[in-house]
Every structure is written in structure tokens, then in C-alpha cells.
Amino acid sequence: MNRILLFISLLLLSNISLTGQIADANTLVLGKINNRVSLAKEITIQVNIRYMTSDTEEYTSNILEDGTFAFGINVREPQYATLIYSREKKLIYIEPNDTLGINIDGGSYPRNVLFGERGGPDNTFLAEYLKENPKELNQFKKVQFRKEIFWYSTLPTQDKDMRNTTPEAFSGKLLTKKDRAFAKLDFYRKNNPNKLTPDFINFMETEFIYDWAYNKLMFGHLYKGRYDLQDSYFSFLDETPLVGGSIGNHLYRDYVLAVVNYRYEKAGDKTDPYVKQYDFATNNLIGNTQAFVQSEMLYKAFLDKKLDSILGRYWAFIDNTEHLGYEEKVNYAYQKASRYAEGSPAPDFTLKDIDENTIQLAQYGGKVVYLNFWASWCRPCMKKMNNLQPFIQDMEKQGIVILNVSLDRNAEDWRRTVRQMDFGGVNVMANGDIDSDIAKKYEVRILPQYYIVNKNGSFAQRPVKNDLTSIRTTLTELSR
């Protein structure tokens, strides 16, 4: 394995102009696929850096005839990446200024993978950890819950567990999981002294602590009323630091955002959530963590079309932040907000309805359109659709068009749901779900999502409150 990697390293270094990736890379991932049963000629690494840039970086390497491949990657923070071969995915860990060797058994990928080079021990431990604590790589297979402006997400199995257990029992399971993970890390370090990198140790300790804290907060926030949970339940929030975690770890980022959102809700003033949570970060957080939360509030506010209320914070952030990596995400959202601001033309599209009729947005010129993005697997979407049904007939009499765009993955699931639930309005489906053309046109990244299009075919200002009553009032006023 080492001879192969050394050979590839020398080959890459002597052909920098051919690789295209190496010039800006700070980390090398090198490997070989043995027992190649797949006809795949490429292998890919995806690095999700949406928390910094709003996008995912993708690196692709050709697989040579002898099975070897190589990547040069620009890694900004220690974090997970996804290795994709023959449509199968495996999580790996990468960090700046590292070298990782990967030896794949093509017949049993992603189960049988061996790791080498400097990053080998890190990924060997990670692979064992993930066997006991698997992660769902498809966000849309998770169950999501919205609280104010934050979305909790969890696996369906844990959702069921939360709904069928007591706070004491659930907290006990979380604590046992955390203690077990720390014990395994300590055991590995004792038996493999000086093998794990300091950044990886910090990353995994962040994983254990904030996996525990995030899920404990989610349970308490969702089921506080059911169990009449007192403030003592939430005492762990004061004991779990909001700064100092590995920012590349999604559990740390999610926990910080969840706490900021929880503090906002608990304060009781529900106005200007993005502004108030931005200010909380400014006053209570520091460094990279502060910049991350500030950038998230700006990003979400712009995508939610709250341009005017947050604009002053945007300019303050651009002028003052020392963490320039977040500017790309914030500027992207600002440009999108300007494009989708009130009065901007709504992008036209053509889709088929449930009866195979061609539906085009432009055909509704002269009418107000409530453009509702949903999917049958999205629990909040289904609740919203059900709540909307009693009012659809009345709104249609006012000339309002309820245009439901499904981002379902399976057309039969969509048709069955619409017919069984007797959903009113105009029902169309976009092929490609969240990656469909219309989802990209309208920047739909979470569900449910909606827009209001006025009689002139331009975006209308959405109501300040996101409740059904406010939406109906806005639609009625626009239709007059």
C-alpha cells in the first residue's frame, strides 16, 4: 500500500498541470481499488462546506487501469467528507495539511475499506465509531421539527424513541452513548499512542459532547409541554460551552444554532428573530463561532426575504468580521434576496399536473398565486397542507390560485397522497425532487417553502408572521 501511494505521490507531483486539483490543495487523498467488480471509472469526494460558502465542493478522480486514484483537496476545517464509488457512499474524515491513504475492496464497498498514511488511524477509529453510530447521509430521510427559525432533525428510529420514552430514560440513553464513545476513544489512544492527530481528537470529542447536548435539547424543546419539564432539565445548557468546539463538526454547529434559537424563544419577544439571534451572537459569542452564527442569521434572513430588517447587520458584518470565509455565503444570499425581492419577476416554469395536463406559471397572469413547495414524506408539509384544505375553495372563489409543487422522489407516492388526502388546488410534481430545475430556480432547500406571486407575475412581500391566517390575509388583500 505505501509503495503504491508513494508512486502515486511522485506521479502527481510530476504532473501538476494534468491533475488540476493539486495546485490549490493542502490535503492529499490517495488510494487503490482492488477486486473491481464495478465498471465505474471515477471516484468522487464531496466536502459539504455550506456552513461557509452555501455550497458543496466536489472532487473527482479518474480510476486508472491498475485501480489507483488520487485527489488534491483544499480543506478549510477538520470535518467529514463523503467518498462516493459506484454510487455507494462512505464518510471519511479529512483535515488541512494531511495525507490519507485508502484501500478499497471493490466487491464489498463501503464495508471493507482500509486506511493508511498520516490520516489512516483517524479514519480507522472513525469507521469503528460509525458502525455503532451510523449517520444518514440523505437529509430527506430524516424527520424534521421546526421551532421558531430552527429545524431539528433526527433519524426516524430516534423520533420513535423520543415519542415512546420518558425524559429520564431518554437522557439516560444519551449519557450512556456519550460515556461509551469517550471510553472507546481513550482505549484506542492508549493502545495506539500518538497515532491520532490533535485535530481529530478535538473533532471526535466535539462529536461526543454535542451529539449528547443537541439531542437532549431537541427532546426537551419538543416535549417540554408534554412532560411539564422545568428549567432544571435545561441546566446542561449552562454547562455545555457554546464556543471552543470544532466548527467543522455539524453537531457542534447545530447545537449552537439550536441554543441561540431556544434562548430567543424563551425570551418571549417573537419579533425580528434573525436580528435578535444575530445580536445574541454578537453579544455572547466570540471568534469563529460568532462569525458562523452571524452569517447564518444573515443567510436565513435574506433567503426568507427579510432584506430591510437585517440590512444594517449585513453591512456591519462585512465591515467588521475577521473570518472572511463566511462572506461568500452571506453575499450569495444577499444577491438572491435582491433577485427574489418584492417586485422581482417570478421565474416561469412548466410542469404536469396529476391528470397529465400541462401547467405553466405564466398562464395565471392576472391572478394571485400561492406557490407551495411540499413533499409527502415531509411531516410539517403534510400538516400545513391539511390545515390549508378548508380554505382553498373560498380562496379560489376570490381568484387565488393554490399551486402545490411536490418535490417527492416517487410519482406514485405523490399521486396516492394527493388522491387519498383529497388535496385541493392545482397539484404538480417536479422530477428530481430537491435537485429539480424548479427547486434550483426558487432556491428551495428546506420544506415546506412557499412564495406569493402577484397578478403581474412578480414576487409579493410575504407576511411577517408565517402562520396560515397571515398568509390568507395577504393573499386576499392582493386579490382585490
Side-chain angles (χ1 to χ4, degrees), residues 443-454:
E443 291 293 314
V444 179
R445 294 186 175 177
I446 60 173
L447 293 176
Q449 179 64 279
Y450 78 95
Y451 292 90
I452 296 175
V453 182
N454 65 24

Side-chain angles (χ1 to χ4, degrees), residues 127-161:
E128 289 301 313
Y129 171 75
L130 291 177
K131 284 181 182 179
E132 286 193 11
N133 305 278
K135 293 181 180 287
E136 176 54 66
L137 299 182
N138 187 340
Q139 184 68 20
F140 294 99
K141 289 186 179 181
K142 295 181 178 181
V143 182
Q144 297 182 314
F145 306 92
R146 180 170 182 168
K147 285 289 188 178
E148 301 303 332
I149 63 170
F150 182 78
W151 286 86
Y152 289 101
S153 67
T154 188
L155 295 173
T157 51
Q158 179 161 292
D159 173 44
K160 182 179 179 180
D161 193 25

Side-chain angles (χ1 to χ4, degrees), residues 154-366:
T154 188
L155 295 173
T157 51
Q158 179 161 292
D159 173 44
K160 182 179 179 180
D161 193 25
M162 288 194 298
R163 287 186 282 111
N164 294 282
T165 190
T166 64
E168 294 78 15
F170 188 75
S171 296
K173 288 181 180 180
L174 293 178
L175 185 59
T176 298
K177 179 183 177 183
K178 181 182 73 166
D179 291 345
R180 180 178 176 84
F182 270 107
K184 290 208 165 201
L185 180 62
D186 291 342
F187 181 81
Y188 189 91
R189 293 177 66 186
K190 288 177 182 177
N191 287 275
N192 300 273
N194 302 318
K195 294 294 185 181
L196 300 181
T197 64
D199 279 344
F200 178 73
I201 293 171
N202 180 45
F203 183 87
M204 292 311 298
E205 289 179 342
T206 295
E207 173 94 8
F208 305 156
I209 293 171
Y210 294 97
D211 180 41
W212 163 77
Y214 171 80
N215 285 291
K216 189 173 175 68
L217 176 56
M218 175 170 58
F219 182 92
H221 205 170
L222 296 179
Y223 296 107
K224 180 178 181 179
R226 176 191 291 186
Y227 295 106
D228 192 26
L229 296 178
Q230 303 302 307
D231 288 345
S232 58
Y233 173 90
F234 297 92
S235 62
F236 70 94
L237 296 177
D238 298 323
E239 301 163 4
T240 307
L242 280 178
V243 296
S246 181
I247 197 70
N249 190 292
H250 68 98
L251 288 167
Y252 172 63
R253 298 193 304 271
D254 286 349
Y255 173 76
V256 173
L257 292 176
V259 171
V260 173
N261 184 69
Y262 176 76
R263 299 294 192 196
Y264 159 78
E265 181 187 77
K266 192 170 173 55
D269 183 353
K270 301 297 182 67
T271 60
D272 295 325
Y274 305 109
V275 170
K276 285 186 169 56
Q277 294 190 41
Y278 180 98
D279 292 345
F280 180 93
T282 303
N283 297 326
N284 296 278
L285 305 177
I286 60 173
N288 203 349
T289 305
Q290 180 192 73
F292 163 68
V293 176
Q294 289 174 328
S295 70
E296 281 291 297
M297 293 307 112
L298 294 170
Y299 180 81
K300 291 179 178 179
F302 287 146
L303 293 188
D304 199 21
K305 315 301 181 295
K306 307 299 184 184
L307 193 65
D308 293 338
S309 62
I310 203 73
L311 201 55
R313 271 75 174 179
Y314 167 71
W315 293 118
F317 181 83
I318 295 299
D319 289 342
N320 299 319
T321 186
E322 297 178 359
H323 298 270
L324 302 181
Y326 296 103
E327 284 191 349
E328 181 178 342
K329 174 179 71 176
V330 171
N331 288 332
Y332 165 84
Y334 173 70
Q335 293 169 8
K336 290 292 182 183
S338 301
R339 189 167 120 194
Y340 296 136
E342 180 181 5
S344 300
D348 196 19
F349 58 85
T350 302
L351 295 170
K352 295 285 188 180
D353 72 6
I354 199 165
D355 297 316
E356 294 298 316
N357 299 311
T358 298
I359 301 297
Q360 187 175 5
L361 179 64
Q363 76 187 62
Y364 297 114

